[in-house]
């Protein structure tokens, strides 16, 4: 590995080293200010990814440094920064150690950045595990909370098993094709015939299970609501957006490289997408807990994303990436509002907790409503064009069935997205005391709100940008 | 103001976005009730002035009178293109008028006034957008934009069963419009494959060659979205609930404007885009419209809630409009559009009056009301006038539209038209039942003579200001509908020729 | 290569399935984690074998990574086990079902 | 003369009505009545001034175009021809008198402005019917009078029955209007015009097969407005309104609009022999029916209402047997004497202290002999006493029927003659019960404004000598009206036949009068028999309609609402929602909270995928 390659990987290195440094220094100077330092490091990494042009196109045959990768490094770094900003007050009231928390989030961002940039199966594996391990800790970070511990346990066990699947799947593919590097691995797989090819496909199936777990596709989604519910709200925000988004970001080049092999997997992916949309929607309908509802709804969104992935090509991938960003922004906003509503003793989750909050905290409630409506795909919020892109891609790519299921689930989804809004604005005000939020949370929420609205009204630049990132 | 100077300004954008600016200002000054309501009034008033300028200043020509067209999302071929012809001009004017009324009727809004006015203004942007957009996605955007403010208006400020009503309204309309979205995208893709140009512009998409089966399917998607909004039997059940539970301004907007967007969508988009399928669907539309006329009138007759009666009467009136459209001739179409405007004014007026009634008596129950002429003579006179207009008394507004529809429809569906004429009797039956229950008879159970609560105040200055223009409009449109028919003539003949656009 | 790759593959698959079975059937948290380790080791086995098959070092590199990862995972999970055990006085996963629905 | 003066004819009452409606409550009391009276009186004078315009085929004048669309042109346009002119003269004249009468009658009412506004608007609408040059404007007037009648019947709205009676009148007449509307639509579809003159001119172009249904539809419209069978139930109830209203709307003018409509479109109507026969039959049947009901009525105004219905039946019969002149003649004369009777009845009710029931009146002759003589003239006209106006006009109708010579006409003639006898009987029954014997009521007389009396003599004169306007040659007359209207004069019959018929009519008059004289000259309480009750209740048509139409209507309405809207449509949609929620519950239960179960999800997913791949590999 040359210096040039190190320079090319600079953003990730900044994140990793920064995290380490914070961890070390935090041991000597425990303070919650380290979270702000983490924000700074994440921003530096984002800037670095944006302005320092990498000298080499690929690092060690593992990670790409192309514009696509850089873009996602920026996105995940910013996400990390936002998530840390959300955590500032949260960590304070729940007495979370600042430096550890901050460094873990940075590690996660680093891992996501690596995953999105992966060009080989090893890179994929490493990136994935880098942030999965972090999440094991983060989810159970609120030690005194039994629900946190249970959520952590579930994620840990499931994650570990998924890792097993992933590792075995990768090893089978490697055995069949003789390469980890992405185009070659599949080219090799295509050239082999008979038994080896079958082994490769089995490997693919195993990888799909692992990915299905990560992004919570039905039927691998069952952990999602439990973990969302148990994890601290800012961590859930990161989990719901980054850990899923990074996987999809990595899958885009992966599937592009897949070539004709995709035909073998088409039916499986179709079923997974359809199942995710349907199961997620149905399970979300009777939910009365906001976090669990968002969990199930994320299953639905993963179904939409998978549709985009299935369509592939420039149109499908652009739609997917746009959808991914739209989903991430809105989800971050929603969980951001949740964490800003949290108090020392409780974190509101049940709908009854939100009764009439809309007039007590109009701004944050509006942001929550906007996020939910954007997730539902109501214009003029960004979610509309995202859904529009996915549906038109599905129709264009010859998947009218998925488009139809998508439309139907979008319709049904309104029921569960509107329920919290109804509770917020259309029910009697509770006389309970105010839920004050912090300044940093407001910054994040304002950014999310602005993005939801602006991208909803004028998505053209982002669409162009995404189009230019794709090959 | 001359034609030239009108077109130099981006006047369509101005008229479209002015209410949105009002929304933002309202939210900005949300702590001052005073500022908010004046802002709302000023904004709607300004829109009204602009609309009147357009109405007076523009010539009556068949084609587009003003257009605006800018690139917006080139990736998808979506453009920001607005256009105004006689039909949209009329509907925009109606919107402007009714929105001023909606603001005035909610002048004493006490609960969350800022949000209320903001939503009313936002709704205005949505509605005007629907009437102006010629890019299908832009249209869809405004189409959906109308939903959210309405959802909140009903859900937050509504009466008794408001959340149910709000959600029902939302789901019915959204179910339809998602079908339309699917159809729009499909059409866009087919057109793109045929011509190589991916565009959502109405003009381009009209050139698409479609096989009959596909055309019918896509038309079905559009049709569903629009007839739910209109609403046509059997998709009408959201309407009585929504109208009844909505606050006054909401009812006015719903009945006066939102229903019209459905009709407008039919004639501007669904029919021109799928001319053959449209022709084939006419018998179905006519039958459903006829059923609606009877069915709604019957149901209206047994309602005890005044608002519900008026709500069902809207279904019946919209049945007339659809019947007129299904007749597919100049006469019936002019009648249908005229009736649409007339219905907006009369029903809007009725809802305003019912709101005043409820303010004073706290009830809308026909069994509990009665004898209002004794205590509120001026109010009652207006109430009677609007009821008469609604039941189609010649010389008042609705008659002109209804008779044109019937005359036109008779040429194509004699039996249907004859039956529809019978609907007029039913409308007399339920409307007079309302008049009977509210105005005549002894004072209702709610007040016994000598009751202190019973000394209701008759109309105050704001209410006079609100009702007189509407009443004048009702009479004016009844005796001189030429004002409206003149600008409609050209656009309608264009639409009927199948071209639909200049 | 002395051992045919197919044999190795069969062995690894058996190992993997064994691990999976342990994961699915056992209710003891420690046992489940051991099952996971077995699955990972099956993967390692395949990787080493494939590495030999293709005459490359890449597979072995991943095995090293895998081992590092396993240790990290185990350390986290054991910490978790200790913590949970302290909390509920049990390592039976069936005890942890407060979050559901 | 400027033909635009004609427009003032309708504008004046309209202005009066609108002014009273808008500002009436701000005006001094006398001003309201004055405004109303002066506007109608001005119309009357104007009619006289404009009279020459009616000659030579009439004058057409347009104010502005009301509705114009492809092929359709409906103006606010008037057509002043002899028919319209004579009707206009009658309407404005009678209306002026009744307005003046009303000023006295309603002197102490609270809501005078509303009353006079509606009355003026009524005159406006009635003139629209008479003068309209197209069917749409006619329809405007047609509905306008309906509304005014509604408003005025329910004028004393605080009594629920009054308002209900108004509503009934409006809706029942609207059922008739439906047929008229359909006829209008059809005519437009066939001829492409709604202009009356043009329709009459081009009626012969129509397919003969279509004319009969068209005529029947028009007849339906006329039946509703003129309270003919089977749409007659509203008229007796309409007597709930103030008496001037009954006199003007429900005796003299509005109820005859149906006759006028048929006469107006006579060139079209006369083309269908079946239609004509139906008109005549309906007229005869109604005449007989109403006369039979009038025999047993107890309220003075209801007697008169049934008599009105019966007389309009004669007019229909006249149209049906083809004599427009006879119909119009009877219409005019009837308007005079029936207005006289109603106004007299109003005065009598005041005299009897607001009592309506003739069995509680009696002996009023002593209270006001002048009124008695006036009323007697009215009764004589109604009963068809020889040489009164009523006699000549009725005789002309029967004569025409007789002279046609076919079987149906003979039957019609027979019914007409018999009904004349009945008429004579109930007229005198009324007279005797009210004026003779002793006062049986317990209420003291109200103040009687002089206006209530002094408007009557003029009408009495007109009624008495109304026969002169169309006196047949037989009596030495010149059939002025027939010439003026430009229709064929009545057939000349051989002298002996004429004399025989004359004698017969006189005989029936006396045959009616004698029993009345015997039974009712001295009051004796009557036992109530089922037969009497049957007649009193108008053959129980109300109960029949309630059972046959209204109850099913309410049932269907409730069924649509509860069965259709609530159960079916909402049920299906909410059912879908509930089903989804229900299924959702199952999927939700999958999240059991057990990690092991979640892990099984992995295994099953994997198994399915592998199974699929295997299947694919095999095939």
């Amino acid at each position: 590995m040359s210096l040039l390659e190190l320079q090319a990987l600079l953003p990730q290195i900044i994140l990793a080293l920064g995290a380490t440094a914070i961890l070390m220094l935090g041991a000597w100077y425990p303070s919650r200010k380290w979270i702000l330092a983490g924000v700074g490091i994440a921003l530096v990494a984002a800037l670095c990814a944006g302005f320092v042009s990498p000298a080499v196109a690929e690092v060690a045959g593992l990670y790409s440094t192309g514009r696509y990768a850089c873009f996602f490094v920026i996105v995940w770094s910013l996400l990390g920064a936002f998530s840390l900003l959300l955590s500032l007050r949260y960590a304070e009231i729940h007495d979370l150690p600042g430096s550890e928390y901050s460094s873990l989030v940075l590690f996660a961002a680093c891992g996501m950045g690596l995953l999105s940039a992966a060009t080989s199966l090893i890179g994929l594996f490493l990136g994935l595990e880098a942030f999965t391990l972090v999440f094991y800790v983060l989810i159970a970070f609120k030690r005194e909370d039994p629900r946190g511990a249970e959520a952590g346990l579930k994620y840990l066990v499931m994650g570990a098993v998924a890792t097993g699947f992933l590792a075995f799947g990768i090893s089978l593919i490697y055995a069949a094709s003789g390469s980890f590097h992405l185009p070659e691995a599949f080219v090799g797989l295509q050239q082999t015939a008979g038994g080896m090819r079958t082994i490769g496909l089995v490997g693919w199936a195993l990888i799909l299970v692992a990915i299905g777990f990560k992004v919570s596709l039905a039927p691998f989604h069952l952990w999602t609501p439990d973990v969302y519910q148990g994890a601290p709200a800012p961590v859930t925000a990161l989990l719901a957006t980054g850990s899923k988004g990074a996987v999809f970001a990595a899958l885009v080049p992966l599937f592009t490289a897949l070539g004709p092999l995709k035909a073998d997997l088409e039916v499986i992916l179709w079923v997974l997408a359809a199942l995710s949309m349907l199961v997620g929607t149905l399970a979300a309908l009777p939910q009365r807990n906001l976090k669990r509802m968002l969990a199930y709804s994320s299953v639905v969104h993963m179904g939409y994303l998978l549709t985009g992935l299935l369509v592939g090509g420039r149109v499908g991938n652009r739609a997917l990436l746009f959808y991914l960003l739209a989903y991430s922004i809105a989800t971050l906003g929603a969980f951001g509002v949740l964490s800003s509503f949290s108090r020392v003793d409780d974190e509101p989750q049940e709908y009854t907790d939100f009764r009439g909050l809309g007039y007590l905290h109009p701004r944050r409630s509006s942001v929550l409503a906007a996020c939910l409506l954007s997730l539902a795909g109501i214009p003029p919020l960004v979610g509309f064009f995202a859904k529009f892109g996915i549906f038109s891609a599905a129709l264009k790519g010859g998947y009218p069935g998925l488009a139809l299921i998508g439309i139907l689930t979008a319709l049904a989804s309104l029921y569960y997205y509107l329920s919290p809004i109804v509770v917020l604005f259309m029910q009697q005000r509770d006389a309970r005391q105010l839920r004050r939020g912090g300044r940093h949370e407001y910054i994040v929420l304002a950014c999310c709100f602005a993005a939801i609205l602006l991208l909803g009204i004028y998505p053209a630049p982002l669409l162009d940008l995404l189009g230019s990132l794709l090959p | 103001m001359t034609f030239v100077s009108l077109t130099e300004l981006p006047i369509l954008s101005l008229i479209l976005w002015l209410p949105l600016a009002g929304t933002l200002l309202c939210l900005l000054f949300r702590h001052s009730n005073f500022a908010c309501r004046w802002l709302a009034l000023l904004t709607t008033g300004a829109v009204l002035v602009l609309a009147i300028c357009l109405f007076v200043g523009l010539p009556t020509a068949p084609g587009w009178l003003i257009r605006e067209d800018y690139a917006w999302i080139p990736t998808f071929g979506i453009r920001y293109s607005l256009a105004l012809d006689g039909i949209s001009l009329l509907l925009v004017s109606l919107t402007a008028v009714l929105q001023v009324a909606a603001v005035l009727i909610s002048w004493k809004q006490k609960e969350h006034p800022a949000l209320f006015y903001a939503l009313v203004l936002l709704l205005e942007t949505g509605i005007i957008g629907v009437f102006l957009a010629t890019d299908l996605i832009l249209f869809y955007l405004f189409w959906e934009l109308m939903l959210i403010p309405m959802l909140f208006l009903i859900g937050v400020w509504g009466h008794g069963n408001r959340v149910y009503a709000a959600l029902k309204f939302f789901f019915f309309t959204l179910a339809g419009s998602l079908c339309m979205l699917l159809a729009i995208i499909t059409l866009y893709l087919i057109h793109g494959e045929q011509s190589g140009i991916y565009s959502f512009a109405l003009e381009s998409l009209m050139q698409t060659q479609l096989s009959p089966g596909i055309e019918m399917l896509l038309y079905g998607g559009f049709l569903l979205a629009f007839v739910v909004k209109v609403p046509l039997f059997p998709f009408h059940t959201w309407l009585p609930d929504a109208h009844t539970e909505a606050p006054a301004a909401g009812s006015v907007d719903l009945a006066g404007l939102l229903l019209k967007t459905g009709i407008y969508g039919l004639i501007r988009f669904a029919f021109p885009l799928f001319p053959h399928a449209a022709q084939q669907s006419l018998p179905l539309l006519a039958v459903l419209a006829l059923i609606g006329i009877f069915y709604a009138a019957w149901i209206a007759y047994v309602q005890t809630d005044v608002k519900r009666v008026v709500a069902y009467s809207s279904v019946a009136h919209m049945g007339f409009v659809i019947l007129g459209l299904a007749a597919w001739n100049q006469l019936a179409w002019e009648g249908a559009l005229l009736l649409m405007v007339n219905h907006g004014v009369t029903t809007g007026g009725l809802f305003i009056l019912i709101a005043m009634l409820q303010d004073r008596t706290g009830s809308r129950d026909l069994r509990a009301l009665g004898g209002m002429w004794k205590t509120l003579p001026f109010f009652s006179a207006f109430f009677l006038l609007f009821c008469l207009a609604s039941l189609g008394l010649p010389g008042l507004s609705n008659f002109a539209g209804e008779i044109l529809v019937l005359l036109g429809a008779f040429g194509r569906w004699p039996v249907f038209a004859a039956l529809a004429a019978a609907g007029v009797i039913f409308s007399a039956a339920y409307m007079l039942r309302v008049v009977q229950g509210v105005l005549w008879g002894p004072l209702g159970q709610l007040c016994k003579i000598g009751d202190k609560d019973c000394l209701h105040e008759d109309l105050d200055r704001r209410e006079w200001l609100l009702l007189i223009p509407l009443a004048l409009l009702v009479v004016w449109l009844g005796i001189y509908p030429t004002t409206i028919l003149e600008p409609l003539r050209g656009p309608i003949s264009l639409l009927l020729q199948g071209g639909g656009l200049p | 290569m002395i051992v045919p790759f197919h044999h190795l593959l069969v062995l690894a698959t058996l190992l993997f399935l064994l691990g999976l079975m342990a994961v699915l059937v056992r209710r003891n948290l420690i046992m489940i984690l051991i099952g996971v380790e077995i699955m990972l080791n099956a993967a390692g086995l395949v990787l080493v074998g494939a590495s030999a098959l293709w005459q490359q070092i890449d597979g072995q590199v991943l095995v090293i990574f895998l081992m590092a990862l396993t240790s990290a995972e185990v350390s986290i999970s054991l910490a978790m086990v200790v913590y949970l055990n302290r909390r509920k006085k049990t390592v039976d996963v069936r005890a942890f079902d407060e979050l559901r629905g | 003369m400027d033909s635009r003066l004609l427009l003032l004819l309708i504008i004046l009452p309209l202005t009066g009505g609108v002014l009273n409606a808008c500002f009436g409550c701000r005006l001094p009391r006398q001003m309201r009545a004055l405004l109303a009276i002066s506007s109608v009186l001005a119309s009357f004078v104007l009619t006289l001034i404009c009279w020459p315009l009616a000659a030579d085929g009439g004058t057409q004048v347009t104010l502005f175009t009301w509705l114009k669309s492809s092929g359709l042109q409906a103006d606010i346009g008037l057509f002043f021809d002899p028919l319209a002119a004579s009707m206009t003269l009658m309407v404005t004249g009678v209306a002026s008198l009744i307005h003046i009468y009303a000023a006295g009658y309603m002197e102490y009412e609270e809501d005078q402005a509303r009353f006079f506004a509606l009355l003026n608007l009524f005159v406006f609408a009635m003139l629209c019917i008479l003068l309209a040059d197209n069917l749409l404007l006619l329809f405007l007037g047609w509905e306008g009078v309906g509304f005014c009648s509604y408003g005025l019947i329910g004028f004393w709205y605080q009594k629920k029955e009054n308002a209900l009676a108004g509503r009934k009148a409006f809706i029942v007449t609207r059922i008739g209007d439906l047929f008229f509307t359909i006829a209008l639509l059809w005519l437009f579809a066939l001829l492409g015009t709604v202009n009356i003159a043009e329709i009459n001119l081009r009626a012969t172009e129509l397919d003969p097969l279509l004319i009969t249904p068209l005529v029947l539809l028009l007849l339906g419209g006329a039946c509703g407005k003129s309270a003919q069978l089977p749409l007659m139930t509203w008229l007796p109830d309409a007597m709930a309104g103030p008496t001037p209203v009954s006199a003007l709307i429900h005796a003299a003018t509005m109820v005859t609009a149906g006759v006028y409509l048929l006469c107006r479109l006579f060139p079209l109507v006369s083309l269908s022999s079946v239609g004509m026969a139906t008109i005549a039959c309906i007229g005869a049947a109604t005449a007989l029916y109403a006369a039979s009901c009038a025999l047993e009525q107890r309220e003075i105004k209801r007697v008169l209402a049934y008599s009105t219905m019966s007389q309009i039946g004669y007019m229909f019969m006249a149209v049906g047997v083809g004599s427009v002149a006879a119909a119009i003649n009877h219409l005019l004369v009837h308007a005079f004497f029936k207005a006289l009777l109603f106004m007299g009845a109003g005065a009598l009710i005041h005299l009897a202290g607001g009592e309506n029931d003739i069995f509680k009146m009696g002996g009023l002759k002593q209270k006001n002999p002048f009124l008695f003589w006036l009323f007697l003239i009215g009764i004589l006209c109604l009963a068809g006493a020889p040489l009164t106006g009523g006699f000549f006009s009725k005789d002309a109708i029967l004569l025409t029927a007789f002279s046609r010579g076919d079987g149906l006409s003979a039957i019609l003639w027979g019914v007409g003659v018999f009904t004349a006898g009945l008429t004579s009987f109930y007229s005198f029954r009324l007279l005797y019960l009210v004026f003779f014997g002793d006062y049986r009521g317990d209420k003291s007389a109200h103040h009687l404004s002089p206006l209530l009396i002094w408007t009557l003599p003029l009408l009495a004169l007109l009624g008495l000598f109304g026969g002169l306007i169309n006196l047949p040659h037989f009596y030495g007359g010149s059939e002025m009206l027939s010439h003026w209207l430009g229709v064929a004069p009545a057939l000349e019959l051989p002298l002996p036949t004429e004399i025989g018929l004359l004698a017969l009519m006189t005989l029936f008059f006396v045959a009616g009068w004698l029993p009345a004289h015997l039974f009712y000259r001295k009051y004796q309480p009557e036992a109530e028999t089922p037969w009497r009750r049957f007649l009193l209740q108008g053959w129980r048509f109300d109960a029949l309609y309630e059972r046959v139409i209204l109850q099913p209507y309410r049932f269907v309405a409730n069924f649509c609402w509860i069965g259709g809207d609530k159960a079916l449509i909402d049920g299906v949609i909410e059912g879908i929602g509930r089903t989804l929620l229900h299924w959702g519950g199952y999927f939700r239960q999958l999240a059991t909270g057990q990690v092991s179960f979640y892990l099984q999800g992995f295994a099953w997913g994997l198994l399915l995928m592998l199974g699929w791949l295997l299947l694919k590999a095999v095939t």
Side-chain angles (χ1 to χ4, degrees), chain A residues 143 150 174-175 178 199 292, chain C residues 9 54 56 83 96 98-99 101:
Chain A
R143 260 173 314 183
E150 186 183 331
Y174 177 64
I199 288 171
R292 293 188 78 87
Chain C
L9 210 53
W54 296 105
Q56 286 174 347
Y83 169 64
F96 302 96
E98 279 170 43
L99 299 170

Side-chain angles (χ1 to χ4, degrees), chain B residues 164 168 172 233-234 236-237 240-241 295 297-299 301-303 308 312 330-331 334 338 371 373-374 378 384 388 391-395 399-400 403-404 406-407 410-411 417-418 421-422 424-429 432-433 435-436 439-442 478-482 485 489, chain D residues 22 25-26 64-72 76 110-111 114 136 139-141 143-144 147 150-151 154 157-160 163-164 166-167 170-171 174-176 178 181-182 184-189 194 550 553-554 556-561 563-566 569-570 573-574:
Chain B
Y164 171 77
K168 199 172 176 183
F172 266 77
F233 173 89
H236 65 278
T237 56
D241 283 314
Y295 184 86
W298 285 336
I299 295 182
Y301 184 72
V302 287
Q303 300 303 316
R308 223 165 232 282
Y312 274 110
Q330 180 86 21
L331 198 56
E334 283 184 23
L338 180 62
W373 197 293
K374 186 84 188 159
F378 293 115
L384 184 63
L388 291 173
L391 66 78
L393 193 75
F399 172 77
I403 197 75
L404 285 181
L406 290 175
L407 285 168
F410 200 91
V424 176
I425 300 180
F426 302 136
S427 74
L432 290 186
R433 190 166 161 270
V435 173
Q436 175 83 34
L439 304 188
W440 312 138
I479 57 174
Y480 198 67
T482 316
L485 289 178
R489 191 150 301 145
Chain D
C22 295
C25 53
R26 307 266 158 89
F64 61 89
T65 300
W66 178 27
L67 277 170
K68 184 170 184 295
S69 180
S70 67
L72 173 75
I76 302 288
E110 250 179 49
D111 241 351
R114 179 158 58 97
L136 274 184
F139 190 66
L140 183 145
E143 293 287 311
F147 159 66
Y150 162 77
Y157 57 85
Q158 283 184 304
K159 258 178 81 181
K160 205 173 169 189
L164 284 176
R167 189 169 114 192
F170 195 69
I171 290 174
R174 253 206 166 191
I175 295 175
L178 163 67
T181 315
I182 297 174
L184 189 160
L185 299 178
W186 204 348
L187 279 171
F188 177 74
V194 288
L550 291 176
Y553 184 76
R554 269 182 231 120
V556 169
N558 269 313
F559 178 78
C560 284
W561 183 36
D565 252 27
K566 279 188 170 173
I569 301 177
D570 279 357
I573 285 158
E574 283 170 23

Side-chain angles (χ1 to χ4, degrees), chain D residues 145-430:
Chain D
V145 293
F147 159 66
C148 295
S149 146
Y150 162 77
L152 287 166
I153 294 171
F155 179 73
W156 290 307
Y157 57 85
Q158 283 184 304
K159 258 178 81 181
K160 205 173 169 189
E161 300 73 45
N162 296 349
L164 284 176
R167 189 169 114 192
K168 183 175 172 186
F170 195 69
I171 290 174
V172 175
T173 51
R174 253 206 166 191
I175 295 175
D177 299 350
L178 163 67
F179 300 116
F180 179 34
T181 315
I182 297 174
L184 189 160
L185 299 178
W186 204 348
L187 279 171
F188 177 74
L190 291 171
L191 296 173
T193 179
V194 288
N195 189 292
I196 293 173
E198 210 170 323
I199 287 173
N200 281 336
L201 203 65
R202 291 170 52 193
T204 46
E205 293 171 19
L206 292 172
D207 185 349
L209 276 177
L210 297 182
I211 290 182
T212 302
L214 268 173
V215 170
L216 292 180
L217 286 169
L218 286 171
L219 172 64
C223 280
K225 210 81 216 165
S226 293
Q228 298 295 291
L229 285 171
L231 298 175
M232 69 296 164
T233 55
W234 64 269
L235 187 58
D237 288 356
M239 295 302 124
T243 304
V245 173
S246 308
L248 179 62
I249 301 182
H250 305 117
T253 55
M254 183 186 88
V255 283
T256 56
V259 182
Y260 177 78
L261 176 72
L262 295 177
C263 294
R264 183 88 272 189
L265 291 170
F266 193 72
L268 171 72
V269 172
S270 60
L271 289 175
S272 161
S273 54
V274 179
M276 291 285 277
T278 317
I279 293 172
C281 289
I282 290 219
T286 311
L288 184 62
Y289 159 81
S292 73
C293 294
L295 294 178
E296 283 302 331
Q297 294 304 314
R298 297 177 65 93
E299 283 175 27
I300 181 165
K301 285 172 75 180
R302 284 178 91 92
V303 178
L304 294 176
Y306 276 112
S307 80
T308 306
M309 207 188 282
S310 176
Q311 298 303 310
I312 296 168
Y314 276 108
M315 297 171 209
F316 269 63
M317 201 155 83
V319 176
V321 296
S323 174
V324 172
I328 294 297
N329 186 19
H330 194 54
L331 195 162
L332 297 177
V333 176
H334 170 260
F336 298 136
F337 71 70
K338 194 49 69 66
L340 166 67
L341 283 172
F342 264 112
M343 288 153 80
L348 289 172
I349 292 169
H350 267 230
L351 268 184
E355 182 57 66
N356 258 324
D357 192 340
I358 48 177
F359 286 88
K360 291 182 183 160
M361 290 182 172
L364 293 183
K365 186 180 165 192
Q366 285 81 17
K367 284 200 179 175
N368 196 333
F370 184 55
L371 188 59
F372 167 72
W373 290 109
L374 290 171
F375 205 80
L376 179 66
I377 292 174
I379 289 288
L380 286 174
C381 287
L382 175 61
L387 302 182
T388 58
F391 172 78
F392 286 119
S393 57
K394 206 184 286 179
D395 188 41
I397 294 169
L398 294 173
L399 215 62
T400 319
F402 184 82
S403 62
R404 277 166 64 105
D406 53 295
L408 181 68
S409 301
I411 296 172
L412 291 175
W413 175 80
V415 172
V417 172
F418 178 66
T419 306
L422 290 181
T423 311
S424 171
F425 174 76
Y426 69 71
S427 310
F428 284 106
R429 168 177 174 267
L430 178 65

Side-chain angles (χ1 to χ4, degrees), chain A residues 3-85:
Chain A
L3 266 176
L4 281 179
E5 285 181 325
L6 279 180
Q7 182 257 329
L9 217 52
L10 195 58
Q12 282 97 326
I13 290 172
I14 290 175
L15 286 171
L17 286 182
T20 319
I22 287 176
L23 195 62
M24 295 296 172
L25 292 172
W28 278 287
Y29 310 105
S31 159
R32 287 201 186 79
K33 293 278 180 260
W34 289 115
I35 294 182
L36 276 181
V39 173
I41 289 169
L43 290 178
V44 169
L47 282 175
C48 178
F51 293 105
V52 180
S53 55
V56 289
E58 197 174 28
V59 179
L62 291 175
Y63 299 109
S64 141
T65 55
R67 292 186 61 212
Y68 180 82
C70 282
F71 175 75
F72 276 103
V73 171
I74 296 173
V75 169
W76 306 133
S77 304
L78 287 178
L79 182 68
F82 281 141
S83 153
L84 282 174
L85 280 176

Side-chain angles (χ1 to χ4, degrees), chain D residues 567-588:
Chain D
L568 193 65
I569 301 177
D570 279 357
V572 165
I573 285 158
E574 283 170 23
I576 292 174
R578 264 195 294 274
T579 314
L580 286 180
L581 275 176
H582 190 69
W583 288 356
Y586 290 132
F587 283 104
R588 216 184 123 182

Side-chain angles (χ1 to χ4, degrees), chain A residues 325-339:
Chain A
L325 290 177
Y327 162 78
S328 300
I329 294 167
T331 309
L332 180 69
F335 283 110
V337 175
L338 275 186
S339 77

